[in-house]
Amino acid sequence: MTGYSYSRLRRAKLAFWRYFNTVVDAVRMPIRQPQILLVTGNATPSKAQNVEARLRFLVAHFGHPVRVTRAHRGSMRAYLCSAGVATADPEAVSRFALRRLEWVADLDYESNPVDGWDLLELGSALNRRGARRKSSAIARLTFGEHIQRLKECGPRPVYLFGTGPSLQLASERQFADGITVVCNTIVRDPELWHHLNPAFFTAGDAIYHFGHNPHAQAFRADALRRLKESAGRTLFVYPAQFDVVVRSQFREVETLLVPIPYGEHEDISVDLTKRFNLPHIGNVLNCLLLPLGCTLGTDIRLWGFDGRAPSDAGFWSNSDRHTYPELMQSIRDSHPAFFAKSIPVGNEVQYVKQVHGDLLEDRLAEAERRGFQFRMLHRSWTPTLQKRYNEPLRPCDE
């Protein structure tokens, strides 16, 4: 075990509030109604309508009827009697309820940068705990058996693929000597998908992949197509908090679904067969791709992680062939607070520095001391990754 587990005090606090929610939820069970109460407060009619549409998107995946009702303000009775409570105006709901009750969510997309995650956390909270435990147990068994089959051939390189501009060049190279893991909107390109023949496919962003907007909807439609075409060779790994949406829309490939809960650690080199919990850290590279790669082997090679060039806008550039640039504005329009916080005007590199700077460097270096090797297969604007790139020898240098 590495030193990236949460402190004992932090784990104790988290355990206490989980227990608190379990007890309160059990107490209110006899009076709990199958409804989500939307507290509108001083939100404009258009914002209230927009938030209600997001709630209706969520409850459409439940598999059982849940009403969405409205009230101007919340009350203790509302918190106890409603299956869930959401607000378009956080000032109209108790701060304690927003912070501590799992079934109360702030969905004000103009002020809450994680409103997309809070929507899906609400869906997870309203899903029966017994059902969550059962799906997690099945997922762990499915995952372990798949890993065991992949390792039967002995140690092999593990190739991790991002969706940077360099991904377009991956079709010119063969990766059959190793195990491939792909992510996100690579599903748009069926030719490259089948060329790489991934053992795992993963995605982990609430608003880009699992939300209500047209971009996320297009992603899920293509992801389902690719998984069906793979005929069981590829497992879909994703954070368990998104299972309420995934399990509803991916019924045709249910045996390929592997929801993994976040754990109380930040170890990117965790062996997921031994500790079936994702690290709560950063983006898809840190919390999904690297843990999968380190579970599969010690020789980790990266492609498609170009980083943020000086001329880039937004987070960084992606391969247009493997993303949905025509739908990106739908995410920006739906979640303005997320972009305002993550890539603030004048400090657009903030996010990259946070997730791929010293934090990632420290964890990669610690894993390397334990025998892992990480190699960039092309140049990257991210210093943490660029230092792990070795320029190929030219013929005259050999």
Side-chain angles (χ1 to χ4, degrees), residues 227-272:
L227 289 169
K228 289 169 64 177
E229 292 166 3
S230 294
R233 295 186 301 273
T234 308
L235 296 189
F236 182 13
V237 176
Y238 53 93
Q241 69 191 107
F242 306 135
D243 197 43
V244 64
V245 170
V246 176
R247 197 160 296 275
S248 171
Q249 295 194 319
F250 288 70
R251 290 192 182 96
E252 295 173 84
V253 292
E254 189 170 16
T255 59
L256 307 180
L257 304 182
V258 181
I260 305 181
Y262 281 111
E264 297 175 351
H265 71 95
E266 297 180 346
D267 182 10
I268 57 96
S269 62
V270 60
D271 184 341
L272 294 170

Short mmCIF file of all heavy atoms in Angstrom, two decimals, residues 227-272:
data_model
loop_
_atom_site.label_atom_id
_atom_site.label_comp_id
_atom_site.label_asym_id
_atom_site.label_seq_id
_atom_site.Cartn_x
_atom_site.Cartn_y
_atom_site.Cartn_z
N LEU A 227 -19.44 -1.07 -28.46
CA LEU A 227 -19.44 -2.22 -27.55
C LEU A 227 -20.19 -3.39 -28.16
O LEU A 227 -19.76 -4.55 -28.02
CB LEU A 227 -20.06 -1.83 -26.21
CG LEU A 227 -19.21 -0.88 -25.35
CD1 LEU A 227 -20.03 -0.36 -24.17
CD2 LEU A 227 -17.96 -1.60 -24.84
N LYS A 228 -21.28 -3.13 -28.85
CA LYS A 228 -22.02 -4.21 -29.51
C LYS A 228 -21.18 -4.84 -30.61
O LYS A 228 -21.18 -6.06 -30.80
CB LYS A 228 -23.34 -3.68 -30.06
CG LYS A 228 -24.36 -3.33 -28.98
CD LYS A 228 -25.54 -2.55 -29.52
CE LYS A 228 -26.37 -3.32 -30.50
NZ LYS A 228 -27.56 -2.54 -30.94
N GLU A 229 -20.44 -4.02 -31.34
CA GLU A 229 -19.59 -4.53 -32.42
C GLU A 229 -18.42 -5.35 -31.89
O GLU A 229 -17.90 -6.22 -32.60
CB GLU A 229 -19.04 -3.35 -33.24
CG GLU A 229 -20.10 -2.61 -34.03
CD GLU A 229 -19.61 -1.27 -34.56
OE1 GLU A 229 -18.41 -0.95 -34.36
OE2 GLU A 229 -20.41 -0.54 -35.17
N SER A 230 -18.01 -5.10 -30.65
CA SER A 230 -16.85 -5.79 -30.09
C SER A 230 -17.14 -7.20 -29.64
O SER A 230 -16.21 -7.94 -29.28
CB SER A 230 -16.28 -4.97 -28.93
OG SER A 230 -15.77 -3.74 -29.40
N ALA A 231 -18.39 -7.57 -29.61
CA ALA A 231 -18.79 -8.96 -29.34
C ALA A 231 -18.17 -9.52 -28.05
O ALA A 231 -17.69 -10.65 -28.03
CB ALA A 231 -18.44 -9.85 -30.53
N GLY A 232 -18.15 -8.71 -27.01
CA GLY A 232 -17.70 -9.21 -25.71
C GLY A 232 -16.23 -9.06 -25.42
O GLY A 232 -15.77 -9.39 -24.32
N ARG A 233 -15.44 -8.55 -26.37
CA ARG A 233 -13.98 -8.43 -26.16
C ARG A 233 -13.62 -7.22 -25.30
O ARG A 233 -12.54 -7.18 -24.73
CB ARG A 233 -13.26 -8.34 -27.50
CG ARG A 233 -13.37 -9.57 -28.38
CD ARG A 233 -12.49 -9.44 -29.61
NE ARG A 233 -12.87 -8.27 -30.41
CZ ARG A 233 -13.82 -8.28 -31.34
NH1 ARG A 233 -14.49 -9.39 -31.58
NH2 ARG A 233 -14.10 -7.18 -32.03
N THR A 234 -14.50 -6.23 -25.24
CA THR A 234 -14.19 -4.97 -24.57
C THR A 234 -15.14 -4.75 -23.40
O THR A 234 -16.36 -4.80 -23.56
CB THR A 234 -14.33 -3.79 -25.55
OG1 THR A 234 -13.56 -4.03 -26.72
CG2 THR A 234 -13.88 -2.49 -24.89
N LEU A 235 -14.59 -4.48 -22.22
CA LEU A 235 -15.40 -4.11 -21.06
C LEU A 235 -15.44 -2.60 -20.92
O LEU A 235 -14.46 -1.90 -21.20
CB LEU A 235 -14.83 -4.72 -19.78
CG LEU A 235 -14.82 -6.25 -19.67
CD1 LEU A 235 -14.43 -6.66 -18.25
CD2 LEU A 235 -16.16 -6.85 -20.04
N PHE A 236 -16.57 -2.09 -20.46
CA PHE A 236 -16.77 -0.66 -20.25
C PHE A 236 -16.63 -0.37 -18.76
O PHE A 236 -17.46 -0.76 -17.96
CB PHE A 236 -18.17 -0.27 -20.75
CG PHE A 236 -18.49 1.20 -20.64
CD1 PHE A 236 -17.52 2.15 -20.39
CD2 PHE A 236 -19.80 1.64 -20.82
CE1 PHE A 236 -17.82 3.51 -20.30
CE2 PHE A 236 -20.12 2.98 -20.73
CZ PHE A 236 -19.14 3.92 -20.47
N VAL A 237 -15.55 0.32 -18.40
CA VAL A 237 -15.26 0.66 -17.00
C VAL A 237 -15.57 2.14 -16.78
O VAL A 237 -15.12 2.99 -17.55
CB VAL A 237 -13.79 0.37 -16.66
CG1 VAL A 237 -13.47 0.83 -15.24
CG2 VAL A 237 -13.48 -1.11 -16.83
N TYR A 238 -16.30 2.45 -15.72
CA TYR A 238 -16.70 3.83 -15.44
C TYR A 238 -16.98 3.98 -13.95
O TYR A 238 -17.23 2.98 -13.25
CB TYR A 238 -17.95 4.20 -16.25
CG TYR A 238 -19.09 3.23 -16.06
CD1 TYR A 238 -20.07 3.44 -15.09
CD2 TYR A 238 -19.19 2.08 -16.84
CE1 TYR A 238 -21.12 2.55 -14.91
CE2 TYR A 238 -20.23 1.18 -16.66
CZ TYR A 238 -21.19 1.42 -15.70
OH TYR A 238 -22.21 0.53 -15.52
N PRO A 239 -16.94 5.21 -13.42
CA PRO A 239 -17.26 5.41 -12.00
C PRO A 239 -18.69 4.99 -11.68
O PRO A 239 -19.62 5.30 -12.44
CB PRO A 239 -17.06 6.92 -11.81
CG PRO A 239 -16.11 7.31 -12.89
CD PRO A 239 -16.47 6.45 -14.07
N ALA A 240 -18.87 4.31 -10.56
CA ALA A 240 -20.17 3.73 -10.22
C ALA A 240 -21.25 4.77 -10.04
O ALA A 240 -22.44 4.45 -10.15
CB ALA A 240 -20.03 2.89 -8.95
N GLN A 241 -20.91 6.02 -9.76
CA GLN A 241 -21.93 7.05 -9.56
C GLN A 241 -22.75 7.30 -10.82
O GLN A 241 -23.84 7.87 -10.75
CB GLN A 241 -21.27 8.35 -9.10
CG GLN A 241 -20.43 9.03 -10.16
CD GLN A 241 -19.60 10.17 -9.63
OE1 GLN A 241 -18.39 10.05 -9.50
NE2 GLN A 241 -20.22 11.28 -9.30
N PHE A 242 -22.24 6.85 -11.99
CA PHE A 242 -22.95 7.06 -13.24
C PHE A 242 -23.76 5.84 -13.67
O PHE A 242 -24.34 5.81 -14.74
CB PHE A 242 -21.95 7.41 -14.35
CG PHE A 242 -21.06 8.58 -14.01
CD1 PHE A 242 -19.70 8.52 -14.27
CD2 PHE A 242 -21.58 9.73 -13.45
CE1 PHE A 242 -18.87 9.59 -13.96
CE2 PHE A 242 -20.76 10.80 -13.13
CZ PHE A 242 -19.40 10.74 -13.39
N ASP A 243 -23.81 4.83 -12.83
CA ASP A 243 -24.42 3.56 -13.21
C ASP A 243 -25.92 3.68 -13.50
O ASP A 243 -26.45 2.95 -14.33
CB ASP A 243 -24.19 2.52 -12.11
CG ASP A 243 -24.44 1.10 -12.60
OD1 ASP A 243 -24.00 0.77 -13.72
OD2 ASP A 243 -25.08 0.32 -11.87
N VAL A 244 -26.59 4.61 -12.83
CA VAL A 244 -28.03 4.74 -13.02
C VAL A 244 -28.35 5.09 -14.47
O VAL A 244 -29.37 4.62 -15.02
CB VAL A 244 -28.62 5.80 -12.05
CG1 VAL A 244 -28.07 7.18 -12.33
CG2 VAL A 244 -30.14 5.82 -12.13
N VAL A 245 -27.51 5.89 -15.13
CA VAL A 245 -27.72 6.24 -16.53
C VAL A 245 -27.20 5.13 -17.45
O VAL A 245 -27.87 4.70 -18.38
CB VAL A 245 -27.05 7.58 -16.87
CG1 VAL A 245 -27.04 7.83 -18.38
CG2 VAL A 245 -27.77 8.72 -16.16
N VAL A 246 -25.99 4.65 -17.17
CA VAL A 246 -25.37 3.65 -18.04
C VAL A 246 -26.19 2.37 -18.09
O VAL A 246 -26.50 1.85 -19.17
CB VAL A 246 -23.93 3.35 -17.59
CG1 VAL A 246 -23.32 2.24 -18.45
CG2 VAL A 246 -23.08 4.60 -17.66
N ARG A 247 -26.57 1.86 -16.94
CA ARG A 247 -27.27 0.57 -16.91
C ARG A 247 -28.60 0.64 -17.63
O ARG A 247 -29.05 -0.34 -18.22
CB ARG A 247 -27.46 0.11 -15.46
CG ARG A 247 -27.80 -1.38 -15.33
CD ARG A 247 -27.50 -1.87 -13.94
NE ARG A 247 -26.08 -1.78 -13.64
CZ ARG A 247 -25.20 -2.71 -13.97
NH1 ARG A 247 -25.57 -3.79 -14.61
NH2 ARG A 247 -23.92 -2.55 -13.65
N SER A 248 -29.23 1.80 -17.63
CA SER A 248 -30.50 1.96 -18.33
C SER A 248 -30.31 1.98 -19.84
O SER A 248 -31.08 1.35 -20.57
CB SER A 248 -31.17 3.26 -17.87
OG SER A 248 -32.29 3.56 -18.67
N GLN A 249 -29.27 2.65 -20.31
CA GLN A 249 -29.10 2.83 -21.75
C GLN A 249 -28.24 1.75 -22.41
O GLN A 249 -28.22 1.66 -23.64
CB GLN A 249 -28.49 4.21 -22.03
CG GLN A 249 -29.41 5.36 -21.63
CD GLN A 249 -28.95 6.68 -22.21
OE1 GLN A 249 -27.77 6.97 -22.22
NE2 GLN A 249 -29.89 7.48 -22.67
N PHE A 250 -27.55 0.95 -21.61
CA PHE A 250 -26.66 -0.07 -22.16
C PHE A 250 -27.13 -1.48 -21.80
O PHE A 250 -26.32 -2.38 -21.61
CB PHE A 250 -25.23 0.15 -21.65
CG PHE A 250 -24.54 1.35 -22.25
CD1 PHE A 250 -24.94 2.63 -21.93
CD2 PHE A 250 -23.49 1.19 -23.14
CE1 PHE A 250 -24.32 3.74 -22.46
CE2 PHE A 250 -22.85 2.29 -23.70
CZ PHE A 250 -23.27 3.57 -23.36
N ARG A 251 -28.44 -1.67 -21.73
CA ARG A 251 -28.98 -2.99 -21.36
C ARG A 251 -28.54 -4.08 -22.32
O ARG A 251 -28.36 -5.23 -21.93
CB ARG A 251 -30.50 -2.94 -21.31
CG ARG A 251 -31.07 -2.12 -20.15
CD ARG A 251 -32.56 -2.36 -20.01
NE ARG A 251 -33.13 -1.56 -18.95
CZ ARG A 251 -33.74 -0.40 -19.13
NH1 ARG A 251 -33.83 0.10 -20.36
NH2 ARG A 251 -34.25 0.27 -18.12
N GLU A 252 -28.36 -3.72 -23.60
CA GLU A 252 -27.99 -4.72 -24.60
C GLU A 252 -26.59 -5.29 -24.38
O GLU A 252 -26.28 -6.36 -24.90
CB GLU A 252 -28.07 -4.10 -26.00
CG GLU A 252 -29.47 -3.68 -26.42
CD GLU A 252 -29.45 -2.93 -27.74
OE1 GLU A 252 -29.44 -3.60 -28.80
OE2 GLU A 252 -29.43 -1.69 -27.71
N VAL A 253 -25.76 -4.58 -23.61
CA VAL A 253 -24.40 -5.06 -23.35
C VAL A 253 -24.15 -5.09 -21.84
O VAL A 253 -23.04 -4.83 -21.37
CB VAL A 253 -23.35 -4.18 -24.06
CG1 VAL A 253 -23.44 -4.34 -25.57
CG2 VAL A 253 -23.52 -2.71 -23.67
N GLU A 254 -25.17 -5.43 -21.09
CA GLU A 254 -25.08 -5.34 -19.62
C GLU A 254 -23.94 -6.18 -19.05
O GLU A 254 -23.34 -5.82 -18.04
CB GLU A 254 -26.41 -5.77 -18.99
CG GLU A 254 -26.48 -5.52 -17.51
CD GLU A 254 -27.88 -5.73 -16.95
OE1 GLU A 254 -28.71 -6.37 -17.65
OE2 GLU A 254 -28.15 -5.27 -15.83
N THR A 255 -23.63 -7.29 -19.68
CA THR A 255 -22.57 -8.16 -19.16
C THR A 255 -21.17 -7.53 -19.32
O THR A 255 -20.21 -8.04 -18.76
CB THR A 255 -22.57 -9.52 -19.87
OG1 THR A 255 -22.40 -9.33 -21.28
CG2 THR A 255 -23.89 -10.25 -19.61
N LEU A 256 -21.08 -6.44 -20.07
CA LEU A 256 -19.79 -5.78 -20.30
C LEU A 256 -19.58 -4.56 -19.40
O LEU A 256 -18.54 -3.91 -19.48
CB LEU A 256 -19.68 -5.33 -21.77
CG LEU A 256 -19.93 -6.40 -22.83
CD1 LEU A 256 -19.78 -5.81 -24.22
CD2 LEU A 256 -18.97 -7.57 -22.66
N LEU A 257 -20.55 -4.26 -18.55
CA LEU A 257 -20.49 -3.05 -17.73
C LEU A 257 -19.73 -3.31 -16.43
O LEU A 257 -20.01 -4.27 -15.72
CB LEU A 257 -21.90 -2.57 -17.41
CG LEU A 257 -22.81 -2.30 -18.62
CD1 LEU A 257 -24.17 -1.78 -18.15
CD2 LEU A 257 -22.16 -1.33 -19.60
N VAL A 258 -18.80 -2.42 -16.13
CA VAL A 258 -17.99 -2.53 -14.91
C VAL A 258 -18.00 -1.19 -14.17
O VAL A 258 -17.07 -0.38 -14.32
CB VAL A 258 -16.55 -2.97 -15.21
CG1 VAL A 258 -15.76 -3.12 -13.91
CG2 VAL A 258 -16.54 -4.29 -15.99
N PRO A 259 -19.03 -0.93 -13.38
CA PRO A 259 -19.01 0.28 -12.55
C PRO A 259 -18.11 0.06 -11.34
O PRO A 259 -18.24 -0.93 -10.64
CB PRO A 259 -20.48 0.44 -12.13
CG PRO A 259 -21.03 -0.95 -12.15
CD PRO A 259 -20.30 -1.68 -13.26
N ILE A 260 -17.18 0.97 -11.11
CA ILE A 260 -16.25 0.86 -9.98
C ILE A 260 -16.42 2.09 -9.09
O ILE A 260 -16.33 3.21 -9.58
CB ILE A 260 -14.79 0.75 -10.44
CG1 ILE A 260 -14.60 -0.41 -11.43
CG2 ILE A 260 -13.86 0.58 -9.25
CD1 ILE A 260 -13.18 -0.59 -11.93
N PRO A 261 -16.67 1.91 -7.81
CA PRO A 261 -16.84 3.07 -6.93
C PRO A 261 -15.53 3.77 -6.66
O PRO A 261 -14.45 3.16 -6.73
CB PRO A 261 -17.40 2.44 -5.64
CG PRO A 261 -16.90 1.03 -5.66
CD PRO A 261 -16.86 0.62 -7.11
N TYR A 262 -15.62 5.06 -6.39
CA TYR A 262 -14.43 5.78 -5.93
C TYR A 262 -14.07 5.31 -4.53
O TYR A 262 -14.94 5.00 -3.72
CB TYR A 262 -14.69 7.29 -5.91
CG TYR A 262 -14.60 7.93 -7.27
CD1 TYR A 262 -15.73 8.44 -7.91
CD2 TYR A 262 -13.38 8.05 -7.92
CE1 TYR A 262 -15.65 9.04 -9.15
CE2 TYR A 262 -13.27 8.64 -9.17
CZ TYR A 262 -14.41 9.14 -9.78
OH TYR A 262 -14.32 9.71 -11.02
N GLY A 263 -12.76 5.28 -4.25
CA GLY A 263 -12.30 4.86 -2.94
C GLY A 263 -11.75 6.03 -2.14
O GLY A 263 -11.74 7.18 -2.61
N GLU A 264 -11.26 5.73 -0.99
CA GLU A 264 -10.71 6.75 -0.10
C GLU A 264 -9.19 6.79 -0.26
O GLU A 264 -8.43 6.61 0.68
CB GLU A 264 -11.14 6.46 1.34
CG GLU A 264 -12.64 6.54 1.52
CD GLU A 264 -13.10 6.14 2.91
OE1 GLU A 264 -12.27 5.65 3.70
OE2 GLU A 264 -14.30 6.32 3.22
N HIS A 265 -8.76 7.02 -1.50
CA HIS A 265 -7.34 7.07 -1.80
C HIS A 265 -7.12 7.85 -3.08
O HIS A 265 -8.07 8.16 -3.81
CB HIS A 265 -6.76 5.66 -1.93
CG HIS A 265 -7.19 4.93 -3.16
ND1 HIS A 265 -6.44 4.91 -4.31
CD2 HIS A 265 -8.31 4.21 -3.44
CE1 HIS A 265 -7.06 4.20 -5.24
NE2 HIS A 265 -8.20 3.77 -4.74
N GLU A 266 -5.84 8.17 -3.36
CA GLU A 266 -5.46 8.90 -4.56
C GLU A 266 -4.29 8.22 -5.25
O GLU A 266 -3.38 8.86 -5.78
CB GLU A 266 -5.10 10.35 -4.19
CG GLU A 266 -6.27 11.13 -3.61
CD GLU A 266 -5.91 12.55 -3.24
OE1 GLU A 266 -4.70 12.86 -3.18
OE2 GLU A 266 -6.83 13.36 -3.01
N ASP A 267 -4.30 6.90 -5.27
CA ASP A 267 -3.20 6.09 -5.82
C ASP A 267 -3.50 5.72 -7.26
O ASP A 267 -4.35 4.88 -7.53
CB ASP A 267 -3.01 4.84 -4.96
CG ASP A 267 -1.86 3.98 -5.44
OD1 ASP A 267 -1.09 4.43 -6.31
OD2 ASP A 267 -1.72 2.85 -4.93
N ILE A 268 -2.78 6.34 -8.20
CA ILE A 268 -3.03 6.08 -9.63
C ILE A 268 -2.51 4.71 -10.05
O ILE A 268 -2.86 4.20 -11.11
CB ILE A 268 -2.43 7.18 -10.51
CG1 ILE A 268 -0.92 7.34 -10.25
CG2 ILE A 268 -3.14 8.50 -10.27
CD1 ILE A 268 -0.03 6.62 -11.18
N SER A 269 -1.65 4.07 -9.23
CA SER A 269 -1.10 2.76 -9.57
C SER A 269 -1.77 1.63 -8.80
O SER A 269 -1.22 0.54 -8.69
CB SER A 269 0.41 2.73 -9.30
OG SER A 269 0.69 2.95 -7.93
N VAL A 270 -2.97 1.87 -8.29
CA VAL A 270 -3.68 0.86 -7.53
C VAL A 270 -3.94 -0.38 -8.38
O VAL A 270 -4.23 -0.29 -9.57
CB VAL A 270 -5.02 1.46 -7.01
CG1 VAL A 270 -5.91 1.90 -8.17
CG2 VAL A 270 -5.77 0.46 -6.12
N ASP A 271 -3.84 -1.55 -7.79
CA ASP A 271 -4.22 -2.80 -8.44
C ASP A 271 -5.71 -3.00 -8.18
O ASP A 271 -6.12 -3.35 -7.08
CB ASP A 271 -3.41 -3.97 -7.87
CG ASP A 271 -3.70 -5.29 -8.59
OD1 ASP A 271 -4.75 -5.38 -9.26
OD2 ASP A 271 -2.90 -6.22 -8.46
N LEU A 272 -6.52 -2.79 -9.20
CA LEU A 272 -7.97 -2.81 -9.03
C LEU A 272 -8.52 -4.21 -8.76
O LEU A 272 -9.66 -4.34 -8.33
CB LEU A 272 -8.65 -2.21 -10.27
CG LEU A 272 -8.39 -0.72 -10.49
CD1 LEU A 272 -8.89 -0.29 -11.85
CD2 LEU A 272 -9.04 0.11 -9.39
#
